[in-house]
Amino acid sequence: MTVVRQDERLDLWSERMSAGSSGNTSPAGSGSDLIGLIAASIRRERERGGLSMAELARRAGIAKSTLSQLESGVGNPSVETLWALGVALDVPFSRLVDPPRPVVRVIRAGEGPVTHSERADYAATLLASCPPNARRDIYRIEAQPGETRASDPHMPGTVEHVLLGAGRALAGPSDAPVELGPGDYVSYPGDAAHVFRALEPGTLAVIVMEHV
């Protein structure tokens, strides 16, 4: 098994964040900019909720030292860690990773705030977070065949909508995922265990997460 050092993961994330057309800058800036944003967001939401660092770490099931690193802007959080923190803080995932947005926002392919799974070849790019008086987030998913991306339950009442754009995938409840082809759509409870598994190279999908 190949072990990737944390600084190597950070470099990879930074390269992915900065990728795009020549001369263009990613809306979220560099990987270090995004990690700094995540650090400030976690600290802000923790303090807003009146939680100590030890209590938040306990609720999220992560080490206090890991949380301390993240709040200091020196960690490189995975999708799983950010989801766990979002559930523990009772906030949408997007509130921890979404940068300030202009009125008109264009995200080109290969740009945007990307987080990677530790368990599968799966990358989620946040396209739009909940505006005021709405409760939904939109993600572009890029995945390759291999390990299944297994998600723990999100906040109660969450519903996920998946529209497959290219490739093939299994998506839905862990005990009864549905095979999808290009143009296929499925919705399912996001507050129960669920999965996404690419069946073909270059699988692309859009996921809308609805917070009821």
Side-chain angles (χ1 to χ4, degrees):
M1 179 178 67
T2 301
V3 177
V4 180
R5 298 197 316 270
Q6 181 166 295
D7 57 347
E8 292 174 335
R9 292 179 63 205
L10 176 56
D11 290 341
L12 176 60
W13 196 356
S14 180
E15 290 169 4
R16 291 292 299 276
M17 289 292 298
S18 300
S21 301
S22 176
N24 289 343
T25 302
S26 167
S30 68
S32 58
D33 290 341
L34 177 58
I35 292 173
L37 172 69
I38 290 172
S41 298
I42 293 172
R43 186 166 55 251
R44 180 192 68 235
E45 296 300 328
R46 178 176 63 78
E47 292 174 351
R48 183 184 62 84
L51 298 175
S52 67
M53 194 174 291
E55 177 60 16
L56 176 57
R58 185 191 68 78
R59 293 187 183 188
I62 64 176
K64 182 181 175 182
S65 58
T66 298
L67 179 58
S68 178
Q69 284 187 322
L70 295 182
E71 288 201 5
S72 297
V74 297
N76 186 18
S78 66
V79 171
E80 291 82 8
T81 297
L82 291 177
W83 277 124
L85 286 168
V87 171
L89 290 164
D90 194 27
V91 299
F93 173 94
S94 58
R95 195 173 297 178
L96 301 181
V97 301
D98 194 27
R101 293 170 294 162
V103 175
V104 176
R105 187 182 189 198
V106 177
I107 301 178
R108 304 296 183 187
E111 296 181 347
V114 182
T115 51
H116 299 271
S117 173
E118 293 178 331
R119 308 168 187 167
D121 192 345
Y122 176 101
T125 301
L126 179 66
L127 300 179
S129 60
C130 293
N133 304 316
R135 294 179 64 82
R136 60 99 186 102
D137 303 323
I138 305 173
Y139 300 87
R140 179 179 63 237
I141 302 301
E142 305 172 49
Q144 303 296 333
E147 291 295 321
T148 298
R149 158 67 180 151
S151 297
D152 294 327
H154 304 314
M155 293 182 294
T158 299
V159 176
E160 289 194 3
H161 306 261
V162 178
L163 177 63
L164 202 74
R168 300 193 71 81
L170 285 173
S174 296
D175 58 353
V178 177
E179 183 170 342
L180 303 176
D184 289 347
Y185 159 86
V186 65
S187 65
Y188 50 86
D191 55 4
H194 51 284
V195 299
F196 186 98
R197 180 182 180 186
L199 301 177
E200 292 182 2
T203 292
L204 300 174
V206 171
I207 290 182
V208 177
M209 186 168 296
E210 178 182 12
H211 308 285
V212 178

